[in-house]
Amino acid sequence: MELGRRALGLDGRGGGPAVATILHGDELEGRGLDATETTQLHRIRLFGATGTVLMGVGALGAGAQPVLQNPVQGLRVLGLPARMPSAALTLTMTGTVLVVLAWLLLGRFAVGRRDPDGVPRRLSRSQLDRTLLLWILPLTVAPPMFSKDVYSYLAQSEIAARGLDPYGIGPAGALGVDHVLTRTVPNIWRDTPAPYGPAILWLGQRITDLTGENIVAGVFLHRVTALAGVALIVWALPRLARRCGVASVSALWLGAANPLLLFHLVAGIHNEALMLGLMLAGLELALRGIYTADPAAPLRGRALGWLLAGSAVIALSSMVKVPSLLALGFVGMALAHRWGGTLRAVVAAAALLAVVAVAVVGAVSWGSGLGFGWTQTLGTATEVRSWMSIPTLLGLGTGLAGVLLGLGDHTTAILSLTRPVAALIAALVTVRMMLAVLTGRLHPVGALGVSLGAIVLLFPVVQPWYLLWAVIPLAAWATRPIFRLPTVAFSSLVSVILMPNGGEYQPFIIVQAAIATVVVVGLAIFATRNRLPWRDEDDTPPRPADSPGAYAGTS
């Protein structure tokens, strides 16, 4: 019994406070930049914009172009990158590195530099918004990059538009292997039912009604949907950051301006953009209802309206992808803490939010005409063996060791052991975080981010953009170097190692492009050595101070 209480953090010796102490400290919004820094910021903005323009031009030949209906194929100028694969890949890789470097340079002004009185100087919210918009614009008109999933979205939407069940049949079976939309779907997904919620398929069905089999128009409207999700992230993230006592621009820099978001949610058109945008917006609305009213007063009127609206938006986000429903659990624990933190309060909060969730899920499932088939395809992604997944990596590594030692390939058997153990650990972390919120020792935003981080790392399949599930919420709460430095390093590394075509190139093409990229980027750094702040000659900002708001539900 005592061991269980200790594992769940209920023994009063660690748990929530330890997590908050390690990861969180309050930040000041700070002053604006001085004249020299403002000039440097303008140059950094142009440096990053140059990178996204190069990416967009290179994607005409190196992007995830459709097999059929390629709009630039055969054109004299726009079709040239496709006939020069090494040059196109070099352009895209060079642009990718330039954007990552610009993001790192921008971080100095987002995290802040301190004045002699200890107050940090940060760029303003409008300066960051203009920078982000300038970097995003070239990617909105570029071909898809880093993934071909958008073509699966188009095919699954066409299946739904025909009145067939996208949860029961894949593109090849429903549309035929020679259909224009099936041809560009990766082979591994051609016979696979849709693993997404009915909300995103219903939205895709409306897009199909407008575009038919026009791939370019369909891709563009799906990107508009992704941009709507990014806009929701940009709206919610600074508000959540201020709620947690974190500088809004530092949260936006690490979360919304992160190259993973630019490359995979904007350029890659993944539906995580809408899932995360709705989840964060719903979380902000729900917490607004819980924390704006007098804690001693009954929850009614406008506060109750915010809570119900936010909970409904979170439930809607789960109809894009189910993992976001976890946010509703942390809203429930925050509500139960407001109501006294007793078992009765937990049951009451769970009952209220369950009614909201069931109503939204039922309305979307029945209203879309797609039913509840999505509950049968949640494990579709596990067909992929991802090296970024800890349990999968352990299984693959152990299986390879067995082959090398002559013991046979036991990868499948080991995966059947490592994956359930990892799922159990992730569940334990999540329960512990929920109890920390219930007892008022951890802010729900931080607890949600930690839980999603555990789930992502221990999930059977981890794609690079899955990291944003945890990085974006944690950007609004976690300020310590122990979180920010590894997050920045890993985001930068993952952003530059993936191929822009969503597949693989011949090794010699990659080597040629990599060498050319190193040379070009080196020359760019040399040319801007006196114009961009490559060397930081200023002091670092003070370490965020501990505060009671780091632990409590309010800040």
Side-chain angles (χ1 to χ4, degrees):
M1 186 67 178
E2 181 63 25
L3 181 61
R5 289 176 59 83
R6 182 177 301 177
L8 296 175
L10 296 176
D11 59 347
R13 293 182 292 175
V19 173
T21 301
I22 293 171
L23 296 179
H24 176 80
D26 282 1
E27 285 184 329
L28 297 174
E29 287 290 346
R31 302 188 178 100
L33 303 178
D34 59 29
T36 300
E37 291 168 334
T38 301
T39 301
Q40 291 176 337
L41 172 63
H42 178 69
R43 293 168 179 168
I44 292 171
R45 184 184 295 156
L46 294 179
F47 193 76
T50 301
T52 55
V53 169
L54 289 177
M55 289 177 64
V57 174
L60 295 173
Q65 300 277 27
V67 174
L68 302 176
Q69 296 186 15
N70 187 336
V72 301
Q73 187 172 6
L75 298 182
R76 290 181 179 270
V77 177
L78 294 180
L80 188 61
R83 299 190 290 272
M84 303 172 63
S86 295
L89 183 59
T90 299
L91 282 175
T92 309
M93 291 177 65
T94 300
T96 299
V97 175
L98 293 183
V99 173
V100 170
L101 291 175
W103 179 65
L104 294 175
L105 291 174
L106 185 67
R108 294 181 177 178
F109 300 135
V111 175
R113 302 176 176 187
R114 65 182 179 186
D115 283 329
D117 60 0
V119 178
R121 303 189 306 274
R122 307 182 197 275
L123 76 166
S124 68
R125 170 68 192 277
S126 62
Q127 289 173 326
L128 182 56
D129 287 345
R130 290 197 298 272
T131 301
L132 183 58
L133 181 61
L134 185 63
W135 291 359
I136 284 178
L137 280 176
L139 299 179
T140 62
V141 296
M145 282 182 272
F146 304 106
S147 173
K148 297 180 179 179
D149 281 4
V150 67
Y151 301 113
S152 295
Y153 302 166
L154 291 174
Q156 291 155 2
S157 299
E158 173 67 19
I159 294 172
R162 292 187 178 188
L164 302 175
D165 182 12
Y167 299 118
I169 189 170
L175 307 178
V177 294
D178 293 325
H179 190 273
V180 62
L181 298 179
T182 306
R183 289 286 299 274
T184 312
V185 176
N187 290 333
I188 190 174
W189 305 124
R190 288 190 178 184
D191 296 302
T192 303
Y196 312 114
I200 195 67
L201 288 181
W202 180 87
L203 186 60
Q205 188 177 345
R206 303 283 75 78
I207 291 175
T208 298
D209 291 339
L210 293 174
T211 62
E213 297 178 358
N214 188 316
I215 292 179
V216 175
V219 166
F220 178 76
L221 290 183
H222 275 280
R223 178 167 277 152
V224 170
T225 301
L227 290 173
V230 172
L232 286 172
I233 293 173
V234 173
W235 177 85
L237 193 56
R239 289 167 172 80
L240 292 171
R242 287 194 294 269
R243 191 175 296 282
C244 298
V246 174
S248 58
V249 290
S250 65
L252 278 171
W253 166 74
L254 186 56
N258 193 305
L260 288 176
L261 184 146
L262 299 177
F263 297 168
H264 296 288
L265 301 194
V266 177
I269 322 180
H270 286 288
N271 52 30
E272 264 81 5
L274 192 58
M275 179 197 81
L276 289 170
L278 289 171
M279 181 189 76
L280 293 175
L283 185 62
E284 163 59 23
L285 295 178
L287 295 182
R288 185 178 298 181
I290 293 174
Y291 292 144
T292 54
D294 181 3
L299 200 63
R300 60 164 64 100
R302 178 176 295 182
L304 181 60
W306 286 127
L307 172 64
L308 296 179
S311 301
V313 173
I314 293 174
L316 180 61
S317 74
S318 72
M319 293 293 92
V320 177
K321 273 194 168 182
V322 174
S324 64
L325 191 62
L326 182 66
L328 203 59
F330 288 94
V331 170
M333 287 300 180
L335 179 60
H337 173 68
R338 172 192 168 97
W339 285 346
T342 62
L343 179 60
R344 182 176 180 179
V346 172
V347 172
L352 175 62
L353 299 186
V355 170
V356 175
V358 169
V360 172
V361 170
V364 173
S365 298
W366 277 312
S368 65
L370 296 171
F372 292 88
W374 56 272
T375 60
Q376 307 300 317
T377 61
L378 298 178
T380 299
T382 58
E383 295 184 16
V384 178
R385 292 180 175 180
S386 169
W387 62 269
M388 294 180 65
S389 165
I390 292 176
T392 302
L393 182 62
L394 289 174
L396 294 176
T398 307
L400 178 61
V403 171
L404 295 177
L405 294 174
L407 302 176
D409 185 0
H410 301 288
T411 301
T412 301
I414 294 175
L415 286 176
S416 66
L417 175 64
T418 58
R419 286 178 170 179
V421 170
L424 181 62
I425 295 173
L428 179 63
V429 171
T430 300
V431 171
R432 181 166 180 156
M433 293 299 102
M434 285 188 173
L435 292 175
V437 174
L438 177 64
T439 55
R441 295 176 298 170
L442 204 57
H443 197 286
V445 174
L448 172 64
V450 172
S451 298
L452 286 173
I455 290 171
V456 167
L457 294 178
L458 298 173
F459 203 61
V461 177
V462 179
Q463 300 290 1
W465 53 92
Y466 287 9
L467 299 173
L468 294 170
W469 298 5
V471 168
I472 293 179
L474 282 174
W477 177 78
T479 59
R480 300 296 192 192
I482 195 174
F483 164 72
R484 281 182 173 170
L485 292 180
T487 300
V488 168
F490 201 70
S491 297
S492 302
L493 176 63
V494 173
S495 296
V496 299
I497 63 174
L498 298 180
M499 292 296 101
N501 67 343
E504 297 180 356
Y505 276 94
Q506 294 294 328
F508 73 92
I509 295 180
I510 297 176
V511 171
Q512 290 175 349
I515 294 173
T517 297
V518 170
V519 173
V520 173
V521 171
L523 291 175
I525 294 175
F526 179 79
T528 59
R529 66 190 184 281
N530 296 322
R531 301 179 64 83
L532 292 177
W534 296 110
R535 296 181 300 275
D536 190 6
E537 299 176 355
D538 206 342
D539 295 328
T540 58
R543 176 178 173 174
D546 295 326
S547 71
Y551 315 128
T554 57
S555 57

mmCIF file of all heavy atoms in Angstrom, residues 340-384:
data_model
loop_
_atom_site.group_PDB
_atom_site.id
_atom_site.type_symbol
_atom_site.label_atom_id
_atom_site.label_comp_id
_atom_site.label_asym_id
_atom_site.label_seq_id
_atom_site.Cartn_x
_atom_site.Cartn_y
_atom_site.Cartn_z
ATOM 1 N N GLY A 340 -12.644 21.028 -3.946
ATOM 2 C CA GLY A 340 -12.199 20.497 -2.670
ATOM 3 C C GLY A 340 -11.234 19.334 -2.747
ATOM 4 O O GLY A 340 -10.653 18.950 -1.738
ATOM 5 N N GLY A 341 -11.047 18.748 -3.928
ATOM 6 C CA GLY A 341 -10.087 17.671 -4.096
ATOM 7 C C GLY A 341 -10.485 16.358 -3.458
ATOM 8 O O GLY A 341 -9.633 15.483 -3.258
ATOM 9 N N THR A 342 -11.749 16.183 -3.150
ATOM 10 C CA THR A 342 -12.211 14.932 -2.538
ATOM 11 C C THR A 342 -12.626 13.936 -3.620
ATOM 12 O O THR A 342 -12.757 14.282 -4.800
ATOM 13 C CB THR A 342 -13.407 15.200 -1.621
ATOM 14 O OG1 THR A 342 -14.493 15.718 -2.407
ATOM 15 C CG2 THR A 342 -13.044 16.208 -0.528
ATOM 16 N N LEU A 343 -12.855 12.696 -3.187
ATOM 17 C CA LEU A 343 -13.322 11.673 -4.124
ATOM 18 C C LEU A 343 -14.667 12.069 -4.724
ATOM 19 O O LEU A 343 -14.927 11.862 -5.913
ATOM 20 C CB LEU A 343 -13.429 10.325 -3.408
ATOM 21 C CG LEU A 343 -13.943 9.156 -4.259
ATOM 22 C CD1 LEU A 343 -13.023 8.925 -5.450
ATOM 23 C CD2 LEU A 343 -14.070 7.896 -3.414
ATOM 24 N N ARG A 344 -15.519 12.650 -3.896
ATOM 25 C CA ARG A 344 -16.816 13.103 -4.395
ATOM 26 C C ARG A 344 -16.646 14.184 -5.467
ATOM 27 O O ARG A 344 -17.374 14.197 -6.476
ATOM 28 C CB ARG A 344 -17.651 13.642 -3.234
ATOM 29 C CG ARG A 344 -19.044 14.102 -3.624
ATOM 30 C CD ARG A 344 -19.820 14.535 -2.392
ATOM 31 N NE ARG A 344 -21.157 14.984 -2.753
ATOM 32 C CZ ARG A 344 -22.063 15.406 -1.893
ATOM 33 N NH1 ARG A 344 -21.769 15.412 -0.584
ATOM 34 N NH2 ARG A 344 -23.247 15.808 -2.306
ATOM 35 N N ALA A 345 -15.685 15.079 -5.257
ATOM 36 C CA ALA A 345 -15.430 16.129 -6.242
ATOM 37 C C ALA A 345 -14.923 15.532 -7.553
ATOM 38 O O ALA A 345 -15.304 15.984 -8.641
ATOM 39 C CB ALA A 345 -14.414 17.123 -5.691
ATOM 40 N N VAL A 346 -14.069 14.509 -7.462
ATOM 41 C CA VAL A 346 -13.560 13.854 -8.671
ATOM 42 C C VAL A 346 -14.699 13.208 -9.456
ATOM 43 O O VAL A 346 -14.797 13.347 -10.676
ATOM 44 C CB VAL A 346 -12.491 12.805 -8.303
ATOM 45 C CG1 VAL A 346 -12.102 11.986 -9.527
ATOM 46 C CG2 VAL A 346 -11.269 13.471 -7.709
ATOM 47 N N VAL A 347 -15.566 12.516 -8.746
ATOM 48 C CA VAL A 347 -16.696 11.847 -9.407
ATOM 49 C C VAL A 347 -17.612 12.878 -10.061
ATOM 50 O O VAL A 347 -18.072 12.698 -11.202
ATOM 51 C CB VAL A 347 -17.471 10.987 -8.390
ATOM 52 C CG1 VAL A 347 -18.754 10.439 -9.025
ATOM 53 C CG2 VAL A 347 -16.595 9.841 -7.896
ATOM 54 N N ALA A 348 -17.884 13.981 -9.349
ATOM 55 C CA ALA A 348 -18.767 15.007 -9.898
ATOM 56 C C ALA A 348 -18.158 15.654 -11.140
ATOM 57 O O ALA A 348 -18.843 15.854 -12.156
ATOM 58 C CB ALA A 348 -19.053 16.064 -8.833
ATOM 59 N N ALA A 349 -16.859 15.981 -11.077
ATOM 60 C CA ALA A 349 -16.194 16.586 -12.231
ATOM 61 C C ALA A 349 -16.156 15.617 -13.407
ATOM 62 O O ALA A 349 -16.405 16.009 -14.560
ATOM 63 C CB ALA A 349 -14.781 17.016 -11.845
ATOM 64 N N ALA A 350 -15.851 14.346 -13.116
ATOM 65 C CA ALA A 350 -15.796 13.346 -14.183
ATOM 66 C C ALA A 350 -17.159 13.165 -14.834
ATOM 67 O O ALA A 350 -17.267 13.039 -16.062
ATOM 68 C CB ALA A 350 -15.290 12.016 -13.620
ATOM 69 N N ALA A 351 -18.208 13.179 -14.035
ATOM 70 C CA ALA A 351 -19.560 13.000 -14.573
ATOM 71 C C ALA A 351 -19.936 14.166 -15.479
ATOM 72 O O ALA A 351 -20.487 13.976 -16.578
ATOM 73 C CB ALA A 351 -20.557 12.866 -13.429
ATOM 74 N N LEU A 352 -19.632 15.392 -15.021
ATOM 75 C CA LEU A 352 -19.970 16.576 -15.824
ATOM 76 C C LEU A 352 -19.247 16.562 -17.159
ATOM 77 O O LEU A 352 -19.859 16.762 -18.225
ATOM 78 C CB LEU A 352 -19.615 17.835 -15.034
ATOM 79 C CG LEU A 352 -19.800 19.164 -15.777
ATOM 80 C CD1 LEU A 352 -21.250 19.385 -16.161
ATOM 81 C CD2 LEU A 352 -19.266 20.326 -14.948
ATOM 82 N N LEU A 353 -17.936 16.319 -17.134
ATOM 83 C CA LEU A 353 -17.160 16.351 -18.371
ATOM 84 C C LEU A 353 -17.459 15.145 -19.252
ATOM 85 O O LEU A 353 -17.376 15.241 -20.489
ATOM 86 C CB LEU A 353 -15.667 16.419 -18.046
ATOM 87 C CG LEU A 353 -15.223 17.657 -17.258
ATOM 88 C CD1 LEU A 353 -13.712 17.689 -17.122
ATOM 89 C CD2 LEU A 353 -15.720 18.938 -17.910
ATOM 90 N N ALA A 354 -17.815 14.023 -18.651
ATOM 91 C CA ALA A 354 -18.184 12.849 -19.440
ATOM 92 C C ALA A 354 -19.447 13.115 -20.251
ATOM 93 O O ALA A 354 -19.565 12.693 -21.411
ATOM 94 C CB ALA A 354 -18.377 11.640 -18.537
ATOM 95 N N VAL A 355 -20.388 13.825 -19.652
ATOM 96 C CA VAL A 355 -21.619 14.173 -20.380
ATOM 97 C C VAL A 355 -21.279 15.031 -21.596
ATOM 98 O O VAL A 355 -21.792 14.814 -22.706
ATOM 99 C CB VAL A 355 -22.602 14.903 -19.445
ATOM 100 C CG1 VAL A 355 -23.760 15.490 -20.238
ATOM 101 C CG2 VAL A 355 -23.131 13.947 -18.387
ATOM 102 N N VAL A 356 -20.399 16.021 -21.385
ATOM 103 C CA VAL A 356 -19.993 16.884 -22.495
ATOM 104 C C VAL A 356 -19.290 16.073 -23.585
ATOM 105 O O VAL A 356 -19.594 16.207 -24.781
ATOM 106 C CB VAL A 356 -19.077 18.008 -21.991
ATOM 107 C CG1 VAL A 356 -18.557 18.846 -23.158
ATOM 108 C CG2 VAL A 356 -19.813 18.893 -21.000
ATOM 109 N N ALA A 357 -18.338 15.230 -23.166
ATOM 110 C CA ALA A 357 -17.573 14.446 -24.139
ATOM 111 C C ALA A 357 -18.462 13.491 -24.918
ATOM 112 O O ALA A 357 -18.344 13.381 -26.153
ATOM 113 C CB ALA A 357 -16.461 13.678 -23.425
ATOM 114 N N VAL A 358 -19.348 12.787 -24.219
ATOM 115 C CA VAL A 358 -20.240 11.841 -24.895
ATOM 116 C C VAL A 358 -21.150 12.568 -25.874
ATOM 117 O O VAL A 358 -21.400 12.085 -26.993
ATOM 118 C CB VAL A 358 -21.070 11.056 -23.856
ATOM 119 C CG1 VAL A 358 -22.181 10.271 -24.533
ATOM 120 C CG2 VAL A 358 -20.169 10.113 -23.067
ATOM 121 N N ALA A 359 -21.634 13.739 -25.475
ATOM 122 C CA ALA A 359 -22.514 14.502 -26.361
ATOM 123 C C ALA A 359 -21.780 14.919 -27.633
ATOM 124 O O ALA A 359 -22.312 14.780 -28.751
ATOM 125 C CB ALA A 359 -23.046 15.731 -25.622
ATOM 126 N N VAL A 360 -20.552 15.428 -27.489
ATOM 127 C CA VAL A 360 -19.794 15.880 -28.662
ATOM 128 C C VAL A 360 -19.394 14.707 -29.540
ATOM 129 O O VAL A 360 -19.569 14.739 -30.770
ATOM 130 C CB VAL A 360 -18.552 16.676 -28.214
ATOM 131 C CG1 VAL A 360 -17.652 16.983 -29.407
ATOM 132 C CG2 VAL A 360 -18.969 17.965 -27.520
ATOM 133 N N VAL A 361 -18.849 13.663 -28.929
ATOM 134 C CA VAL A 361 -18.415 12.494 -29.698
ATOM 135 C C VAL A 361 -19.598 11.863 -30.423
ATOM 136 O O VAL A 361 -19.510 11.497 -31.605
ATOM 137 C CB VAL A 361 -17.723 11.468 -28.780
ATOM 138 C CG1 VAL A 361 -17.482 10.153 -29.513
ATOM 139 C CG2 VAL A 361 -16.410 12.027 -28.255
ATOM 140 N N GLY A 362 -20.723 11.728 -29.720
ATOM 141 C CA GLY A 362 -21.912 11.165 -30.351
ATOM 142 C C GLY A 362 -22.424 12.022 -31.488
ATOM 143 O O GLY A 362 -22.773 11.519 -32.566
ATOM 144 N N ALA A 363 -22.449 13.341 -31.276
ATOM 145 C CA ALA A 363 -22.941 14.245 -32.310
ATOM 146 C C ALA A 363 -22.063 14.203 -33.553
ATOM 147 O O ALA A 363 -22.572 14.157 -34.687
ATOM 148 C CB ALA A 363 -23.010 15.672 -31.762
ATOM 149 N N VAL A 364 -20.737 14.190 -33.356
ATOM 150 C CA VAL A 364 -19.828 14.160 -34.501
ATOM 151 C C VAL A 364 -19.899 12.810 -35.212
ATOM 152 O O VAL A 364 -19.944 12.743 -36.451
ATOM 153 C CB VAL A 364 -18.381 14.463 -34.050
ATOM 154 C CG1 VAL A 364 -17.404 14.258 -35.200
ATOM 155 C CG2 VAL A 364 -18.273 15.884 -33.517
ATOM 156 N N SER A 365 -19.908 11.736 -34.450
ATOM 157 C CA SER A 365 -19.922 10.394 -35.055
ATOM 158 C C SER A 365 -21.203 10.149 -35.838
ATOM 159 O O SER A 365 -21.176 9.647 -36.971
ATOM 160 C CB SER A 365 -19.737 9.335 -33.966
ATOM 161 O OG SER A 365 -18.495 9.473 -33.320
ATOM 162 N N TRP A 366 -22.341 10.493 -35.241
ATOM 163 C CA TRP A 366 -23.612 10.285 -35.936
ATOM 164 C C TRP A 366 -23.862 11.368 -36.974
ATOM 165 O O TRP A 366 -24.327 11.089 -38.075
ATOM 166 C CB TRP A 366 -24.761 10.259 -34.924
ATOM 167 C CG TRP A 366 -24.936 8.924 -34.273
ATOM 168 C CD1 TRP A 366 -24.984 7.705 -34.877
ATOM 169 C CD2 TRP A 366 -25.078 8.671 -32.865
ATOM 170 N NE1 TRP A 366 -25.142 6.700 -33.945
ATOM 171 C CE2 TRP A 366 -25.210 7.264 -32.702
ATOM 172 C CE3 TRP A 366 -25.116 9.478 -31.742
ATOM 173 C CZ2 TRP A 366 -25.369 6.671 -31.458
ATOM 174 C CZ3 TRP A 366 -25.284 8.888 -30.498
ATOM 175 C CH2 TRP A 366 -25.408 7.505 -30.362
ATOM 176 N N GLY A 367 -23.561 12.610 -36.629
ATOM 177 C CA GLY A 367 -23.819 13.704 -37.562
ATOM 178 C C GLY A 367 -23.013 13.603 -38.838
ATOM 179 O O GLY A 367 -23.474 14.012 -39.905
ATOM 180 N N SER A 368 -21.812 13.082 -38.737
ATOM 181 C CA SER A 368 -20.974 12.932 -39.929
ATOM 182 C C SER A 368 -21.397 11.759 -40.790
ATOM 183 O O SER A 368 -20.962 11.641 -41.942
ATOM 184 C CB SER A 368 -19.506 12.753 -39.518
ATOM 185 O OG SER A 368 -19.329 11.530 -38.803
ATOM 186 N N GLY A 369 -22.200 10.870 -40.228
ATOM 187 C CA GLY A 369 -22.601 9.669 -40.949
ATOM 188 C C GLY A 369 -21.558 8.581 -40.968
ATOM 189 O O GLY A 369 -21.737 7.552 -41.632
ATOM 190 N N LEU A 370 -20.465 8.766 -40.233
ATOM 191 C CA LEU A 370 -19.363 7.802 -40.239
ATOM 192 C C LEU A 370 -19.437 6.817 -39.084
ATOM 193 O O LEU A 370 -18.707 5.821 -39.065
ATOM 194 C CB LEU A 370 -18.024 8.550 -40.192
ATOM 195 C CG LEU A 370 -17.739 9.433 -41.410
ATOM 196 C CD1 LEU A 370 -16.508 10.291 -41.185
ATOM 197 C CD2 LEU A 370 -17.563 8.573 -42.662
ATOM 198 N N GLY A 371 -20.291 7.083 -38.092
ATOM 199 C CA GLY A 371 -20.469 6.150 -36.996
ATOM 200 C C GLY A 371 -19.251 6.040 -36.098
ATOM 201 O O GLY A 371 -18.428 6.961 -36.013
ATOM 202 N N PHE A 372 -19.128 4.901 -35.451
ATOM 203 C CA PHE A 372 -18.069 4.685 -34.466
ATOM 204 C C PHE A 372 -17.002 3.711 -34.972
ATOM 205 O O PHE A 372 -16.295 3.093 -34.181
ATOM 206 C CB PHE A 372 -18.667 4.164 -33.168
ATOM 207 C CG PHE A 372 -19.516 5.184 -32.452
ATOM 208 C CD1 PHE A 372 -20.869 5.313 -32.737
ATOM 209 C CD2 PHE A 372 -18.955 6.040 -31.519
ATOM 210 C CE1 PHE A 372 -21.646 6.265 -32.092
ATOM 211 C CE2 PHE A 372 -19.720 6.989 -30.867
ATOM 212 C CZ PHE A 372 -21.076 7.106 -31.158
ATOM 213 N N GLY A 373 -16.877 3.609 -36.279
ATOM 214 C CA GLY A 373 -15.841 2.734 -36.822
ATOM 215 C C GLY A 373 -14.440 3.179 -36.461
ATOM 216 O O GLY A 373 -13.510 2.359 -36.462
ATOM 217 N N TRP A 374 -14.279 4.457 -36.134
ATOM 218 C CA TRP A 374 -12.953 4.965 -35.767
ATOM 219 C C TRP A 374 -12.397 4.272 -34.527
ATOM 220 O O TRP A 374 -11.184 4.226 -34.334
ATOM 221 C CB TRP A 374 -13.002 6.473 -35.543
ATOM 222 C CG TRP A 374 -14.004 6.930 -34.513
ATOM 223 C CD1 TRP A 374 -15.315 7.234 -34.728
ATOM 224 C CD2 TRP A 374 -13.774 7.120 -33.120
ATOM 225 N NE1 TRP A 374 -15.924 7.600 -33.549
ATOM 226 C CE2 TRP A 374 -14.995 7.547 -32.544
ATOM 227 C CE3 TRP A 374 -12.660 6.987 -32.304
ATOM 228 C CZ2 TRP A 374 -15.131 7.825 -31.193
ATOM 229 C CZ3 TRP A 374 -12.783 7.266 -30.949
ATOM 230 C CH2 TRP A 374 -14.010 7.671 -30.401
ATOM 231 N N THR A 375 -13.270 3.726 -33.685
ATOM 232 C CA THR A 375 -12.791 3.039 -32.482
ATOM 233 C C THR A 375 -12.097 1.730 -32.821
ATOM 234 O O THR A 375 -11.361 1.192 -31.982
ATOM 235 C CB THR A 375 -13.958 2.758 -31.523
ATOM 236 O OG1 THR A 375 -14.925 1.918 -32.183
ATOM 237 C CG2 THR A 375 -14.638 4.046 -31.105
ATOM 238 N N GLN A 376 -12.283 1.215 -34.036
ATOM 239 C CA GLN A 376 -11.690 -0.053 -34.426
ATOM 240 C C GLN A 376 -10.369 0.107 -35.167
ATOM 241 O O GLN A 376 -9.713 -0.896 -35.466
ATOM 242 C CB GLN A 376 -12.676 -0.834 -35.318
ATOM 243 C CG GLN A 376 -14.057 -1.017 -34.724
ATOM 244 C CD GLN A 376 -14.032 -1.785 -33.406
ATOM 245 O OE1 GLN A 376 -13.311 -2.786 -33.279
ATOM 246 N NE2 GLN A 376 -14.802 -1.322 -32.431
ATOM 247 N N THR A 377 -9.980 1.330 -35.472
ATOM 248 C CA THR A 377 -8.762 1.532 -36.273
ATOM 249 C C THR A 377 -7.711 2.346 -35.534
ATOM 250 O O THR A 377 -6.786 2.878 -36.154
ATOM 251 C CB THR A 377 -9.111 2.241 -37.598
ATOM 252 O OG1 THR A 377 -9.685 3.528 -37.309
ATOM 253 C CG2 THR A 377 -10.090 1.428 -38.411
ATOM 254 N N LEU A 378 -7.837 2.445 -34.207
ATOM 255 C CA LEU A 378 -6.904 3.272 -33.444
ATOM 256 C C LEU A 378 -5.480 2.716 -33.467
ATOM 257 O O LEU A 378 -4.517 3.455 -33.264
ATOM 258 C CB LEU A 378 -7.382 3.413 -31.993
ATOM 259 C CG LEU A 378 -8.744 4.101 -31.820
ATOM 260 C CD1 LEU A 378 -9.133 4.143 -30.346
ATOM 261 C CD2 LEU A 378 -8.704 5.514 -32.392
ATOM 262 N N GLY A 379 -5.329 1.415 -33.674
ATOM 263 C CA GLY A 379 -4.000 0.805 -33.654
ATOM 264 C C GLY A 379 -3.372 0.671 -35.025
ATOM 265 O O GLY A 379 -2.361 -0.021 -35.174
ATOM 266 N N THR A 380 -3.940 1.352 -36.033
ATOM 267 C CA THR A 380 -3.429 1.210 -37.397
ATOM 268 C C THR A 380 -1.966 1.604 -37.520
ATOM 269 O O THR A 380 -1.178 0.950 -38.203
ATOM 270 C CB THR A 380 -4.275 2.057 -38.358
ATOM 271 O OG1 THR A 380 -5.622 1.581 -38.327
ATOM 272 C CG2 THR A 380 -3.740 1.963 -39.772
ATOM 273 N N ALA A 381 -1.576 2.676 -36.836
ATOM 274 C CA ALA A 381 -0.207 3.194 -36.985
ATOM 275 C C ALA A 381 0.848 2.241 -36.463
ATOM 276 O O ALA A 381 2.027 2.372 -36.809
ATOM 277 C CB ALA A 381 -0.083 4.534 -36.270
ATOM 278 N N THR A 382 0.479 1.277 -35.636
ATOM 279 C CA THR A 382 1.480 0.370 -35.068
ATOM 280 C C THR A 382 2.086 -0.558 -36.113
ATOM 281 O O THR A 382 3.023 -1.287 -35.805
ATOM 282 C CB THR A 382 0.855 -0.469 -33.943
ATOM 283 O OG1 THR A 382 -0.271 -1.208 -34.456
ATOM 284 C CG2 THR A 382 0.382 0.426 -32.800
ATOM 285 N N GLU A 383 1.553 -0.523 -37.342
ATOM 286 C CA GLU A 383 2.158 -1.326 -38.401
ATOM 287 C C GLU A 383 3.564 -0.828 -38.729
ATOM 288 O O GLU A 383 4.381 -1.561 -39.269
ATOM 289 C CB GLU A 383 1.278 -1.281 -39.648
ATOM 290 C CG GLU A 383 -0.087 -1.929 -39.469
ATOM 291 C CD GLU A 383 -0.876 -1.938 -40.765
ATOM 292 O OE1 GLU A 383 -0.247 -1.732 -41.831
ATOM 293 O OE2 GLU A 383 -2.095 -2.148 -40.723
ATOM 294 N N VAL A 384 3.820 0.433 -38.419
ATOM 295 C CA VAL A 384 5.140 1.013 -38.680
ATOM 296 C C VAL A 384 6.038 0.784 -37.473
ATOM 297 O O VAL A 384 5.608 0.939 -36.329
ATOM 298 C CB VAL A 384 5.017 2.526 -38.968
ATOM 299 C CG1 VAL A 384 6.393 3.136 -39.185
ATOM 300 C CG2 VAL A 384 4.132 2.755 -40.179
#
